[in-house]
Amino acid sequence: MNTQIKSIEIHRKAYEFVDATCCAGMNLKGMAIKDLKRGTMIGPITNPPRKVKSFGAKLVVLDHPTKICKGYTPVLDTNTTHMPCILKEIVKVKKSKRHQHLMAELGEDCEFLASGDQAEVTFIPKMPLVIEALPDFPRYTRISLRDSGSVVAIGSCHGREYDTTMDKAQKAAIEKKKKLEKMA
């Protein structure tokens, strides 16, 4: 969907610029309120927000009582989004003393993460997710992982693979554009 921002407002007073800490609203040209659904993202037409199929992240495991393996599904927090993501792959691990102790205790040779480890991992979101990579928008790459109400790990997104499938709204927009082109 294409729209134009007419004004940015705080308590019905228009502003040219607002800070990230401000709670502001927007007047949009050519868009009805029914077109906006929960999770709708607004971005520039040159680089619109896109859903990711998977993304890579660099993490530091802060506190986990046991170990984290592939298939682990914590709640990922990024910006105002909170959703479960599946740990698909552990790419690289810088092991801590706790990690070495667990390896000796369990006698396992599998890949896992323990408290104090630093790692590069790959996640798959369980629901549609828009996340930015570090070089593009550093402020929007920060993530934290929660499990049972406590923060397990923190980190940042360093790469992403976009989802190429289209949802209903995108398909409808393409159909509408084709109809308009035929009429012209």
Side-chain angles (χ1 to χ4, degrees), residues 38-60:
R38 183 182 176 138
T40 301
M41 300 274 306
I42 294 177
I45 203 163
T46 56
N47 185 15
R50 295 168 53 192
K51 294 185 289 188
V52 295
K53 187 189 305 184
S54 65
F55 64 94
K58 288 187 178 179
L59 296 177
V60 176

PDB file of all heavy atoms in Angstrom, residues 38-60:
ATOM      1  N   ARG A  38      -3.283  -4.472  13.168  1.00  0.00           N
ATOM      2  CA  ARG A  38      -2.234  -4.628  14.160  1.00  0.00           C
ATOM      3  C   ARG A  38      -0.959  -5.146  13.482  1.00  0.00           C
ATOM      4  O   ARG A  38      -0.998  -6.099  12.713  1.00  0.00           O
ATOM      5  CB  ARG A  38      -2.692  -5.613  15.223  1.00  0.00           C
ATOM      6  CG  ARG A  38      -1.690  -5.779  16.314  1.00  0.00           C
ATOM      7  CD  ARG A  38      -2.178  -6.795  17.304  1.00  0.00           C
ATOM      8  NE  ARG A  38      -1.134  -6.992  18.285  1.00  0.00           N
ATOM      9  CZ  ARG A  38      -1.325  -7.102  19.559  1.00  0.00           C
ATOM     10  NH1 ARG A  38      -2.536  -7.073  20.035  1.00  0.00           N
ATOM     11  NH2 ARG A  38      -0.327  -7.266  20.382  1.00  0.00           N
ATOM     12  N   GLY A  39       0.156  -4.519  13.759  1.00  0.00           N
ATOM     13  CA  GLY A  39       1.427  -4.936  13.186  1.00  0.00           C
ATOM     14  C   GLY A  39       1.783  -4.264  11.880  1.00  0.00           C
ATOM     15  O   GLY A  39       2.825  -4.550  11.301  1.00  0.00           O
ATOM     16  N   THR A  40       0.936  -3.347  11.381  1.00  0.00           N
ATOM     17  CA  THR A  40       1.239  -2.647  10.136  1.00  0.00           C
ATOM     18  C   THR A  40       2.488  -1.785  10.328  1.00  0.00           C
ATOM     19  O   THR A  40       2.607  -1.078  11.314  1.00  0.00           O
ATOM     20  CB  THR A  40       0.050  -1.758   9.711  1.00  0.00           C
ATOM     21  OG1 THR A  40      -1.095  -2.589   9.536  1.00  0.00           O
ATOM     22  CG2 THR A  40       0.344  -1.026   8.420  1.00  0.00           C
ATOM     23  N   MET A  41       3.404  -1.880   9.384  1.00  0.00           N
ATOM     24  CA  MET A  41       4.644  -1.117   9.457  1.00  0.00           C
ATOM     25  C   MET A  41       4.640  -0.053   8.368  1.00  0.00           C
ATOM     26  O   MET A  41       4.177  -0.295   7.264  1.00  0.00           O
ATOM     27  CB  MET A  41       5.852  -2.036   9.228  1.00  0.00           C
ATOM     28  CG  MET A  41       6.003  -3.154  10.210  1.00  0.00           C
ATOM     29  SD  MET A  41       6.891  -2.723  11.690  1.00  0.00           S
ATOM     30  CE  MET A  41       8.396  -2.064  11.123  1.00  0.00           C
ATOM     31  N   ILE A  42       5.175   1.114   8.692  1.00  0.00           N
ATOM     32  CA  ILE A  42       5.293   2.203   7.731  1.00  0.00           C
ATOM     33  C   ILE A  42       6.779   2.464   7.503  1.00  0.00           C
ATOM     34  O   ILE A  42       7.557   2.509   8.453  1.00  0.00           O
ATOM     35  CB  ILE A  42       4.603   3.477   8.254  1.00  0.00           C
ATOM     36  CG1 ILE A  42       3.108   3.246   8.352  1.00  0.00           C
ATOM     37  CG2 ILE A  42       4.907   4.664   7.355  1.00  0.00           C
ATOM     38  CD1 ILE A  42       2.340   4.404   8.921  1.00  0.00           C
ATOM     39  N   GLY A  43       7.148   2.605   6.238  1.00  0.00           N
ATOM     40  CA  GLY A  43       8.541   2.864   5.916  1.00  0.00           C
ATOM     41  C   GLY A  43       8.648   3.605   4.599  1.00  0.00           C
ATOM     42  O   GLY A  43       7.653   3.799   3.903  1.00  0.00           O
ATOM     43  N   PRO A  44       9.853   4.010   4.234  1.00  0.00           N
ATOM     44  CA  PRO A  44      10.030   4.730   2.969  1.00  0.00           C
ATOM     45  C   PRO A  44       9.755   3.826   1.773  1.00  0.00           C
ATOM     46  O   PRO A  44       9.967   2.612   1.838  1.00  0.00           O
ATOM     47  CB  PRO A  44      11.501   5.157   3.011  1.00  0.00           C
ATOM     48  CG  PRO A  44      12.148   4.224   3.958  1.00  0.00           C
ATOM     49  CD  PRO A  44      11.100   3.822   4.947  1.00  0.00           C
ATOM     50  N   ILE A  45       9.282   4.407   0.687  1.00  0.00           N
ATOM     51  CA  ILE A  45       8.941   3.631  -0.504  1.00  0.00           C
ATOM     52  C   ILE A  45      10.194   3.037  -1.149  1.00  0.00           C
ATOM     53  O   ILE A  45      10.127   1.995  -1.807  1.00  0.00           O
ATOM     54  CB  ILE A  45       8.135   4.498  -1.492  1.00  0.00           C
ATOM     55  CG1 ILE A  45       7.318   3.616  -2.415  1.00  0.00           C
ATOM     56  CG2 ILE A  45       9.022   5.421  -2.278  1.00  0.00           C
ATOM     57  CD1 ILE A  45       6.219   4.334  -3.131  1.00  0.00           C
ATOM     58  N   THR A  46      11.343   3.661  -0.932  1.00  0.00           N
ATOM     59  CA  THR A  46      12.589   3.164  -1.509  1.00  0.00           C
ATOM     60  C   THR A  46      13.126   1.936  -0.766  1.00  0.00           C
ATOM     61  O   THR A  46      13.817   1.115  -1.351  1.00  0.00           O
ATOM     62  CB  THR A  46      13.667   4.256  -1.490  1.00  0.00           C
ATOM     63  OG1 THR A  46      13.823   4.718  -0.151  1.00  0.00           O
ATOM     64  CG2 THR A  46      13.289   5.403  -2.403  1.00  0.00           C
ATOM     65  N   ASN A  47      12.833   1.825   0.526  1.00  0.00           N
ATOM     66  CA  ASN A  47      13.309   0.700   1.331  1.00  0.00           C
ATOM     67  C   ASN A  47      12.200   0.294   2.304  1.00  0.00           C
ATOM     68  O   ASN A  47      12.297   0.538   3.502  1.00  0.00           O
ATOM     69  CB  ASN A  47      14.580   1.103   2.079  1.00  0.00           C
ATOM     70  CG  ASN A  47      15.193  -0.048   2.832  1.00  0.00           C
ATOM     71  OD1 ASN A  47      14.861  -1.211   2.610  1.00  0.00           O
ATOM     72  ND2 ASN A  47      16.084   0.265   3.758  1.00  0.00           N
ATOM     73  N   PRO A  48      11.116  -0.337   1.807  1.00  0.00           N
ATOM     74  CA  PRO A  48       9.993  -0.656   2.688  1.00  0.00           C
ATOM     75  C   PRO A  48      10.330  -1.779   3.666  1.00  0.00           C
ATOM     76  O   PRO A  48      11.197  -2.610   3.386  1.00  0.00           O
ATOM     77  CB  PRO A  48       8.897  -1.096   1.719  1.00  0.00           C
ATOM     78  CG  PRO A  48       9.631  -1.610   0.538  1.00  0.00           C
ATOM     79  CD  PRO A  48      10.889  -0.790   0.445  1.00  0.00           C
ATOM     80  N   PRO A  49       9.671  -1.818   4.819  1.00  0.00           N
ATOM     81  CA  PRO A  49       9.890  -2.914   5.768  1.00  0.00           C
ATOM     82  C   PRO A  49       9.441  -4.241   5.152  1.00  0.00           C
ATOM     83  O   PRO A  49       8.403  -4.295   4.499  1.00  0.00           O
ATOM     84  CB  PRO A  49       8.998  -2.551   6.959  1.00  0.00           C
ATOM     85  CG  PRO A  49       8.552  -1.166   6.743  1.00  0.00           C
ATOM     86  CD  PRO A  49       8.708  -0.851   5.310  1.00  0.00           C
ATOM     87  N   ARG A  50      10.246  -5.281   5.350  1.00  0.00           N
ATOM     88  CA  ARG A  50       9.914  -6.595   4.796  1.00  0.00           C
ATOM     89  C   ARG A  50      10.016  -7.667   5.868  1.00  0.00           C
ATOM     90  O   ARG A  50      10.885  -7.600   6.743  1.00  0.00           O
ATOM     91  CB  ARG A  50      10.873  -6.926   3.650  1.00  0.00           C
ATOM     92  CG  ARG A  50      10.695  -5.981   2.477  1.00  0.00           C
ATOM     93  CD  ARG A  50      11.784  -6.064   1.455  1.00  0.00           C
ATOM     94  NE  ARG A  50      12.011  -7.414   0.967  1.00  0.00           N
ATOM     95  CZ  ARG A  50      13.067  -7.751   0.240  1.00  0.00           C
ATOM     96  NH1 ARG A  50      13.965  -6.861  -0.067  1.00  0.00           N
ATOM     97  NH2 ARG A  50      13.218  -8.983  -0.179  1.00  0.00           N
ATOM     98  N   LYS A  51       9.135  -8.665   5.759  1.00  0.00           N
ATOM     99  CA  LYS A  51       9.156  -9.782   6.704  1.00  0.00           C
ATOM    100  C   LYS A  51      10.401 -10.628   6.460  1.00  0.00           C
ATOM    101  O   LYS A  51      10.858 -10.751   5.335  1.00  0.00           O
ATOM    102  CB  LYS A  51       7.921 -10.665   6.530  1.00  0.00           C
ATOM    103  CG  LYS A  51       6.628  -9.988   6.880  1.00  0.00           C
ATOM    104  CD  LYS A  51       5.474 -10.952   6.810  1.00  0.00           C
ATOM    105  CE  LYS A  51       5.170 -11.308   5.375  1.00  0.00           C
ATOM    106  NZ  LYS A  51       3.951 -12.087   5.210  1.00  0.00           N
ATOM    107  N   VAL A  52      10.906 -11.222   7.538  1.00  0.00           N
ATOM    108  CA  VAL A  52      12.066 -12.100   7.408  1.00  0.00           C
ATOM    109  C   VAL A  52      11.653 -13.558   7.571  1.00  0.00           C
ATOM    110  O   VAL A  52      10.722 -13.874   8.310  1.00  0.00           O
ATOM    111  CB  VAL A  52      13.171 -11.753   8.428  1.00  0.00           C
ATOM    112  CG1 VAL A  52      13.753 -10.385   8.163  1.00  0.00           C
ATOM    113  CG2 VAL A  52      12.680 -11.838   9.844  1.00  0.00           C
ATOM    114  N   LYS A  53      12.342 -14.417   6.849  1.00  0.00           N
ATOM    115  CA  LYS A  53      12.140 -15.860   6.981  1.00  0.00           C
ATOM    116  C   LYS A  53      13.027 -16.375   8.115  1.00  0.00           C
ATOM    117  O   LYS A  53      12.633 -17.217   8.900  1.00  0.00           O
ATOM    118  CB  LYS A  53      12.507 -16.560   5.675  1.00  0.00           C
ATOM    119  CG  LYS A  53      12.168 -18.031   5.653  1.00  0.00           C
ATOM    120  CD  LYS A  53      12.729 -18.767   4.439  1.00  0.00           C
ATOM    121  CE  LYS A  53      12.324 -18.161   3.141  1.00  0.00           C
ATOM    122  NZ  LYS A  53      12.793 -18.913   1.966  1.00  0.00           N
ATOM    123  N   SER A  54      14.257 -15.854   8.175  1.00  0.00           N
ATOM    124  CA  SER A  54      15.191 -16.187   9.252  1.00  0.00           C
ATOM    125  C   SER A  54      16.167 -15.025   9.390  1.00  0.00           C
ATOM    126  O   SER A  54      16.292 -14.196   8.492  1.00  0.00           O
ATOM    127  CB  SER A  54      15.939 -17.485   8.942  1.00  0.00           C
ATOM    128  OG  SER A  54      16.754 -17.322   7.814  1.00  0.00           O
ATOM    129  N   PHE A  55      16.854 -14.977  10.530  1.00  0.00           N
ATOM    130  CA  PHE A  55      17.844 -13.921  10.727  1.00  0.00           C
ATOM    131  C   PHE A  55      18.969 -14.427  11.606  1.00  0.00           C
ATOM    132  O   PHE A  55      18.792 -15.308  12.435  1.00  0.00           O
ATOM    133  CB  PHE A  55      17.207 -12.647  11.320  1.00  0.00           C
ATOM    134  CG  PHE A  55      16.636 -12.812  12.696  1.00  0.00           C
ATOM    135  CD1 PHE A  55      17.387 -12.499  13.806  1.00  0.00           C
ATOM    136  CD2 PHE A  55      15.345 -13.270  12.865  1.00  0.00           C
ATOM    137  CE1 PHE A  55      16.865 -12.639  15.077  1.00  0.00           C
ATOM    138  CE2 PHE A  55      14.806 -13.415  14.128  1.00  0.00           C
ATOM    139  CZ  PHE A  55      15.572 -13.095  15.234  1.00  0.00           C
ATOM    140  N   GLY A  56      20.152 -13.856  11.389  1.00  0.00           N
ATOM    141  CA  GLY A  56      21.324 -14.194  12.179  1.00  0.00           C
ATOM    142  C   GLY A  56      21.533 -13.172  13.269  1.00  0.00           C
ATOM    143  O   GLY A  56      21.257 -11.987  13.083  1.00  0.00           O
ATOM    144  N   ALA A  57      22.022 -13.634  14.411  1.00  0.00           N
ATOM    145  CA  ALA A  57      22.239 -12.725  15.535  1.00  0.00           C
ATOM    146  C   ALA A  57      23.504 -13.101  16.289  1.00  0.00           C
ATOM    147  O   ALA A  57      23.922 -14.263  16.282  1.00  0.00           O
ATOM    148  CB  ALA A  57      21.048 -12.783  16.488  1.00  0.00           C
ATOM    149  N   LYS A  58      24.110 -12.110  16.902  1.00  0.00           N
ATOM    150  CA  LYS A  58      25.221 -12.334  17.817  1.00  0.00           C
ATOM    151  C   LYS A  58      24.655 -12.170  19.219  1.00  0.00           C
ATOM    152  O   LYS A  58      24.042 -11.138  19.524  1.00  0.00           O
ATOM    153  CB  LYS A  58      26.350 -11.339  17.573  1.00  0.00           C
ATOM    154  CG  LYS A  58      27.106 -11.617  16.299  1.00  0.00           C
ATOM    155  CD  LYS A  58      28.314 -10.719  16.171  1.00  0.00           C
ATOM    156  CE  LYS A  58      29.078 -11.048  14.901  1.00  0.00           C
ATOM    157  NZ  LYS A  58      30.243 -10.188  14.724  1.00  0.00           N
ATOM    158  N   LEU A  59      24.840 -13.179  20.059  1.00  0.00           N
ATOM    159  CA  LEU A  59      24.239 -13.196  21.401  1.00  0.00           C
ATOM    160  C   LEU A  59      25.283 -13.352  22.484  1.00  0.00           C
ATOM    161  O   LEU A  59      26.346 -13.930  22.263  1.00  0.00           O
ATOM    162  CB  LEU A  59      23.283 -14.384  21.541  1.00  0.00           C
ATOM    163  CG  LEU A  59      22.041 -14.458  20.695  1.00  0.00           C
ATOM    164  CD1 LEU A  59      21.316 -15.758  20.984  1.00  0.00           C
ATOM    165  CD2 LEU A  59      21.142 -13.288  20.975  1.00  0.00           C
ATOM    166  N   VAL A  60      24.922 -12.882  23.679  1.00  0.00           N
ATOM    167  CA  VAL A  60      25.643 -13.178  24.903  1.00  0.00           C
ATOM    168  C   VAL A  60      24.617 -13.793  25.840  1.00  0.00           C
ATOM    169  O   VAL A  60      23.595 -13.165  26.146  1.00  0.00           O
ATOM    170  CB  VAL A  60      26.254 -11.907  25.538  1.00  0.00           C
ATOM    171  CG1 VAL A  60      26.921 -12.243  26.860  1.00  0.00           C
ATOM    172  CG2 VAL A  60      27.224 -11.247  24.593  1.00  0.00           C
TER     173      VAL A  60
END
